[in-house]
Amino acid sequence: VFQRMTKSECYFINGTEKVRYVQRAIYNREQFIMFNSDVGHFVGFTPYGEKLAKRWNSNAVFMEDRRTAVDWFCRCWYKNFTPFLTERR
């Protein structure tokens, strides 16, 4: 059985003051590529991941989308889910 998984994660420090977006791609329990908004580009961990990172990092439109994911992905979800997570008793 082969499995490919992509995970997008948001790390919030002090609400939305400091936010980090991380996207990981995993194949058969091995992470092969990762984007971290603090670093600002993709990093490959396998030969295929390095090749893919080089291609994605050279695509300006795609990279702008990833770099702004803190705003359109993380902060948007934070605003939507905060009432359910912090104000619930």
Side-chain angles (χ1 to χ4, degrees), residues 15-89:
T16 58
E17 187 175 313
K18 174 76 174 127
V19 182
R20 181 173 52 156
Y21 171 76
V22 177
Q23 181 181 1
R24 306 170 195 272
I26 301 153
Y27 181 73
N28 280 354
R29 292 185 268 164
E30 181 179 14
Q31 179 174 292
F32 63 92
I33 194 168
M34 180 178 86
F35 176 84
N36 184 334
S37 63
D38 288 347
V39 176
H41 63 270
F42 282 92
V43 176
F45 298 101
T46 65
Y48 173 69
E50 290 173 356
K51 183 178 178 181
L52 196 58
K54 185 177 180 181
R55 184 172 9 147
W56 286 353
N57 289 334
S58 66
N59 184 336
V61 174
F62 182 70
M63 289 306 295
E64 183 63 25
D65 184 60
R66 292 299 101 192
R67 289 184 181 122
T68 60
V70 166
D71 293 322
W72 63 262
F73 184 78
C74 295
R75 289 194 171 108
C76 177
W77 283 110
Y78 185 88
K79 185 177 73 174
N80 290 333
F81 281 100
T82 299
F84 301 105
L85 299 174
T86 60
E87 298 170 10
R88 196 170 177 177
R89 297 185 193 271

